[in-house]
Amino acid sequence: MEFSHRLRTWVLTIFLIFQSGYGWYLPGSYPHKYAVGDTLGVKVNSLTSIDTEIPFSYYSLPFCQPQDGVKDSAENLGELLMGDRIENSPYQFKMYTNESEIFLCHTGPLSGDQFNLLKKRIDEMYQVNLILDNLPAIRYTKKEGFVLRWTGYPVGIKVKDVYYVFNHLKFKVLVHKYEEPNVARVMGTGDGAEVIPTVAKSDSDVPGYIIVGFEVIPCSFMHNADSVKKSKMYEKYPAPIKCDPTTVAMPVNEKQPIVFTYEVEFEESDIKWPSRWDAYLKMEGSKVHWFSILNSLMVITFLAGIVLVIFLRTVRRDLTRYEELDKEAQAQMNEELSGWKLVVGDVFRAPSNASLLCIMVGDGVQILGMAVVTILFAALGFMSPASRGTLITGMLFFYMILGIAAGYVAVRLWRTIGCGDHKGWVSVSWKVACFFPGIAFLILTTLNFLLWGSHSTGAIPFSLFVILLLLWFCISVPLTLIGGYLGAKAPHIEYPVRTNQIPREIPAQKYPSWLLVLGAGTLPFGTLFIELFFIMSSIWMGRVYYVFGFLFIVLMLLVVVCAEVSLVLTYMHLCVEDWKWWWKSFFASGSVAIYIFLYSINYLVFDLKSLSGPVSATLYLGYSLFMVVAIMLATGTVGFLSSFWFVHYLFSSVKLD
C-alpha cells in the first residue's frame, strides 16, 4: 500500500511539472512576482552592431546615467567572453503604473569628440540593448506588409546628411497575473491532494504580476532644453510629448545638449511565463527552413545507407570467397594476392609524425565530447537563451573535464603505435593539454589586441585572461595528465598481423590520393550546411539560436557520415596497395573544415556585405579560423578512429601468412 502511494506521488509530481504553465521550470528560472507599485529597474547591455561586430559600453556615448552611479551586474564567464557588459540604467518603472512624459536628463553641450563619436555610432548602425526582468527589449517594424522583430533599438538615424538621435522611448510592459502553483488545486481532490502538500498561502492574497513581454518604440522628439534646466530626474516634462516613430525631429549638433525622456504603459497579457521567450524565437519563413533541414537529413541518410550497404557487401564477399578456399588454394591465392591483402605486412606500419597524430586525435576526442554533451544539455533546456553566457560557460567546463578522455586516448594510441612502449607518455599528455588550447590562445590573444585598440567591451579583461590561464594550467592540464597516466597503465591494442621490416613500395596512382581525400569532405558538409546558416546568423546577425534538438540530430548524423566516408576512402586506398592510410583517414573526414571555412568567406561576402573596416573583417576571419580548427580536429578524429577499428577488424578476420 505504501509503495502504491509513493508511485502515485511520483506520477502526479511528474505530470504536474509538465502540465503547470504548459512547460517546466529549470533551477534558477522561476518567475519573479511583483506587487503593484514595486520598482522595476531596466538594465543596459553593450551597444552592438551587425555592421562592425565590435561591442561597446552603453555609457561610452553621452546617455543619461543613474543617480546612484553606474554599477556592473554580476556576470558569468560566458557573458564576459561574449562581450556582454550588463549595467544599471536610469530607466525605472512602477509595476502596473502607466506613466508618460517623464523627464530623464539633459546632457551638457556636446563636445566635438562626443559629437563625432555619436555620428560614427549612428553610421555604424549601433543598437541599444535594454533588459527588464531578464527579457531583452523587442522592437516591431512593418516592411512591405511583414512584421519584423528586432532586439534593441538604433542609437539614431541619418536622413539627408543630418543625424538624428532617438531621445524619447515609449515602453510597453506585458504582464500576466501571478498564479499560485497550488498542486492540489491543479490536480483536484482525492488521494493526490492528501499525499502532495499544497503551497502555503502567505502572499496569495496580495495581487501580483509577472513580466512576460518588454517592447520599445524609439522616437526622435525635439525638446526644449531651456525649459528643463532646473528639472530633476523623473519629474514631469513641462509639455506634451507625441511619440511618432515614422518622423524624426531631434538633430545632433555640436555644442548643443540632448534631452532624454520616456513613457511606459502596462498591458495585461494572456502569455504565460514559460512562453514569454516565444516572441524572440520566432523566425520568418521557419517552415521552409524546417523542411529544408528535414530534406537534407533524409538525403544524407539515404546516401550514407547506400554507401554502407555497398561497402559491407564488397568486404564480406572478399572475406567469404577467401575463407571458402582450402589451405592449398589459399597458399596459391597468397601468391596471386591483389588489393588490400598485399599490404598485410605494412598496414600497421607507424605513420610519419605519429606523436602529432596522437595529439590531434586526443584533442579531437575532447572537442567532440564537449560538443555532444553541451548540445545535449542545451537541447534539454539547461542552456536556454534566458540564461546568458551559460552555453559558453558550459562548453569551457565540459572541455576541461574531458581532458581526462583526451589524455587517455592520445597516450593509449601512442603506446599502440609504439607496440606497448611506455616512454614519452608524459610528453604526449603535455602536448595534448597545450596543442588546441595553445592555438586558441594565440588566435584569441591576437584578436583581443584588436579589440583593446578599439576600446571595445568585447576585449577580454586582463583579470579574465589570468582566470582562463589558471583554469588551463590548474585544471585542464592536470586532468589531461591523469588521463595520460590511465592510458599508460591500460593495455595497448595488439595488432592482428606482423609488420615487415622493409616497407612495400606503393604503386603509382592514376590520380593524387590527396585529391580524393579533400573531395571527401563534401558529403559531411552536406549534412550541416543548412544548420550552419542558422548558427552563423545567430553569431553574427544577433539572432537567437534555439533549435538545439535539431542541432544534436545533425551532429549525430555528421558523426555517422564522417565515419562512413573515412571507412570507404581507407578501403579504396588499401585496394590500390596504398598502406599509408593513417593521416588520410584523419583528413578524409577532417577536410569538411575546408568547406566550412570557404562557406564562412561566402557568408562574409554575401550575407555580411555591410561589415565595415579591416578590424571587423579580421575579427570575423579569426573567429572562423578558430571554429574551423576545432571542427577539423573533431571530425578528423571520428574518421581516424572508425578507420582504425575497421582496419583492425578487417585484418583480424582473415589469416594471411
Side-chain angles (χ1 to χ4, degrees):
M1 189 69 180
E2 184 180 353
F3 173 77
S4 69
H5 271 291
R6 287 184 178 180
L7 180 63
R8 200 178 310 162
T9 302
W10 278 106
V11 171
L12 288 170
T13 304
I14 293 170
F15 180 74
L16 173 68
I17 288 173
F18 284 94
Q19 284 295 316
S20 60
Y22 307 108
W24 50 288
Y25 301 154
L26 294 173
S29 64
Y30 288 96
H32 191 289
K33 174 187 173 183
Y34 297 95
V36 175
D38 282 357
T39 301
L40 306 176
V42 177
K43 296 182 179 180
V44 290
N45 204 341
S46 301
L47 303 172
T48 56
S49 168
I50 61 172
D51 193 49
T52 65
E53 302 295 349
I54 303 175
F56 289 100
S57 170
Y58 173 81
Y59 293 107
S60 64
L61 293 180
F63 290 136
C64 302
Q65 297 197 5
Q67 290 177 324
D68 53 351
V70 179
K71 298 176 183 176
D72 288 335
S73 296
E75 290 151 340
N76 57 42
L77 193 62
E79 285 178 304
L80 292 172
L81 290 173
M82 290 295 290
D84 289 342
R85 296 294 183 274
I86 300 175
E87 299 161 315
N88 61 332
S89 83
Y91 294 102
Q92 289 187 357
F93 314 144
K94 292 180 181 178
M95 171 55 81
Y96 224 130
T97 305
N98 295 340
E99 297 176 282
S100 62
E101 298 157 5
I102 303 172
F103 169 73
L104 201 60
C105 79
H106 68 89
T107 66
L110 294 180
S111 66
D113 291 340
Q114 288 177 324
F115 174 65
N116 291 328
L117 183 61
L118 198 55
K119 289 198 304 180
K120 184 180 180 184
R121 295 290 179 260
I122 293 173
D123 279 333
E124 293 170 339
M125 299 190 298
Y126 268 87
Q127 302 275 325
V128 178
N129 299 293
L130 304 178
I131 301 169
L132 177 65
D133 194 43
N134 204 32
L135 276 181
I138 193 169
R139 175 171 56 96
Y140 294 95
T141 59
K142 289 185 179 180
K143 186 177 181 181
E144 298 177 358
F146 293 97
V147 177
L148 303 178
R149 303 172 183 86
W150 309 87
T151 52
Y153 67 91
V155 172
I157 191 171
K158 181 181 179 182
V159 180
K160 295 180 180 178
D161 295 328
V162 179
Y163 293 88
Y164 296 89
V165 66
F166 291 117
N167 60 338
H168 179 81
L169 300 180
K170 183 178 181 179
F171 295 106
K172 181 190 282 188
V173 181
L174 304 179
V175 295
H176 186 81
K177 198 162 186 178
Y178 184 77
E179 298 171 357
E180 199 71 43
N182 191 319
V183 173
R185 186 169 70 243
V186 174
M187 299 305 299
T189 57
D191 294 336
E194 296 173 3
V195 296
I196 303 180
T198 59
V199 179
K201 297 185 179 181
S202 57
D203 298 326
S204 59
D205 295 332
V206 179
Y209 294 91
I210 53 177
I211 297 171
V212 294
F214 183 37
E215 300 174 10
V216 62
I217 299 174
C219 298
S220 179
F221 185 80
M222 175 61 80
H223 292 295
N224 185 355
D226 294 331
S227 66
V228 291
K229 278 186 177 179
K230 296 182 180 179
S231 298
K232 294 182 180 179
M233 189 176 285
Y234 307 125
E235 287 185 354
K236 192 85 169 176
Y237 186 75
I241 300 175
K242 184 181 179 182
C243 180
D244 185 2
T246 60
T247 61
V248 289
M250 183 62 201
V252 180
N253 293 310
E254 191 174 351
K255 297 181 180 179
Q256 292 291 326
I258 303 175
V259 177
F260 289 92
T261 55
Y262 71 96
E263 60 184 280
V264 60
E265 173 192 358
F266 286 82
E267 182 180 302
E268 195 161 347
S269 171
D270 293 332
I271 300 172
K272 302 227 173 190
W273 188 85
S275 305
R276 67 181 193 156
W277 275 87
D278 289 357
Y280 303 86
L281 304 181
K282 289 177 182 176
M283 293 186 186
E284 303 301 330
S286 58
K287 290 184 179 179
V288 176
H289 295 302
W290 282 110
F291 282 125
S292 297
I293 293 171
L294 282 170
N295 180 62
S296 176
L297 292 174
M298 291 172 64
V299 169
I300 294 301
T301 306
F302 179 70
L303 289 174
I306 292 176
V307 169
L308 189 62
V309 168
I310 294 174
F311 174 66
L312 289 177
R313 286 184 62 186
T314 304
V315 175
R316 189 172 296 170
R317 187 174 66 245
D318 281 358
L319 291 175
T320 304
R321 186 188 305 165
Y322 183 82
E323 289 172 354
E324 286 176 352
L325 300 175
D326 55 22
K327 289 186 178 181
E328 185 176 342
Q330 284 185 9
Q332 182 180 355
M333 186 177 177
N334 285 342
E335 297 176 2
E336 302 172 357
L337 284 177
S338 62
W340 58 269
K341 307 174 195 69
L342 285 171
V343 297
V344 63
D346 298 273
V347 70
F348 290 109
R349 190 176 301 281
S352 58
N353 301 313
S355 63
L356 179 61
L357 179 63
C358 297
I359 292 163
M360 293 174 73
V361 169
D363 278 331
V365 167
Q366 191 174 7
I367 295 167
L368 182 65
M370 173 206 69
V372 170
V373 176
T374 304
I375 294 172
L376 180 61
F377 271 85
L380 293 174
F382 286 92
M383 297 175 184
S384 69
S387 306
R388 290 179 185 81
T390 52
L391 190 66
I392 302 294
T393 307
M395 290 172 70
L396 281 173
F397 174 76
F398 293 129
Y399 181 83
M400 289 188 297
I401 296 300
L402 288 166
I404 295 177
Y408 177 84
V409 171
V411 170
R412 194 170 183 199
L413 180 60
W414 169 253
R415 290 191 58 225
T416 298
I417 293 175
C419 299
D421 190 5
H422 288 79
K423 292 180 181 179
W425 74 266
V426 176
S427 174
V428 170
S429 300
W430 263 103
K431 290 174 182 176
V432 168
C434 297
F435 180 72
F436 178 70
I439 294 173
F441 187 78
L442 181 64
I443 294 174
L444 295 180
T445 304
T446 304
L447 299 179
N448 213 51
F449 278 119
L450 294 175
L451 292 169
W452 266 335
S454 303
H455 305 287
S456 168
T457 58
I460 301 173
F462 180 75
S463 58
L464 185 57
F465 248 112
V466 174
I467 292 172
L468 291 174
L469 288 173
L470 289 174
L471 290 174
W472 181 6
F473 288 105
C474 297
I475 298 179
S476 183
V477 171
L479 288 176
T480 308
L481 290 172
I482 291 172
Y485 174 78
L486 296 175
K489 291 294 182 183
H492 69 281
I493 301 171
E494 297 281 352
Y495 291 147
V497 292
R498 292 191 303 271
T499 302
N500 297 334
Q501 290 185 349
I502 302 173
R504 178 185 179 85
E505 184 179 355
I506 299 174
Q509 307 297 328
K510 295 181 180 179
Y511 49 85
S513 58
W514 283 103
L515 191 63
L516 193 61
V517 168
L518 294 176
T522 54
L523 193 58
F525 178 72
T527 66
L528 66 109
F529 81 95
I530 293 179
E531 201 67 27
L532 200 59
F533 171 80
F534 288 110
I535 297 171
M536 300 286 274
S537 298
S538 171
I539 296 173
W540 301 110
M541 302 291 283
R543 297 173 185 169
V544 180
Y545 187 86
Y546 67 101
V547 284
F548 289 104
F550 243 104
L551 183 60
F552 186 76
I553 295 172
V554 170
L555 180 63
M556 292 296 100
L557 196 61
L558 176 66
V559 168
V560 173
V561 173
C562 284
E564 291 172 348
V565 165
S566 186
L567 284 179
V568 172
L569 255 74
T570 300
Y571 182 69
M572 290 174 65
H573 284 120
L574 294 178
C575 284
V576 293
E577 303 173 32
D578 185 354
W579 47 267
K580 293 183 178 181
W581 60 272
W582 301 76
W583 281 106
K584 290 170 185 173
S585 66
F586 185 92
F587 286 111
S589 53
S591 61
V592 67
I594 298 173
Y595 298 97
I596 293 176
F597 190 70
L598 293 175
Y599 180 85
S600 301
I601 295 173
N602 174 80
Y603 190 85
L604 172 64
V605 173
F606 294 102
D607 291 277
L608 293 178
K609 50 192 172 187
S610 63
L611 202 65
S612 63
V615 174
S616 300
T618 305
L619 286 171
Y620 175 85
L621 292 174
Y623 287 126
S624 298
L625 182 63
F626 170 68
M627 177 183 70
V628 160
V629 170
I631 292 173
M632 181 200 70
L633 292 173
T635 54
T637 296
V638 171
F640 171 78
L641 292 178
S642 59
S643 291
F644 183 85
W645 168 83
F646 165 71
V647 172
H648 190 278
Y649 171 80
L650 181 64
F651 284 91
S652 61
S653 300
V654 57
K655 296 179 181 179
L656 296 167
D657 297 327

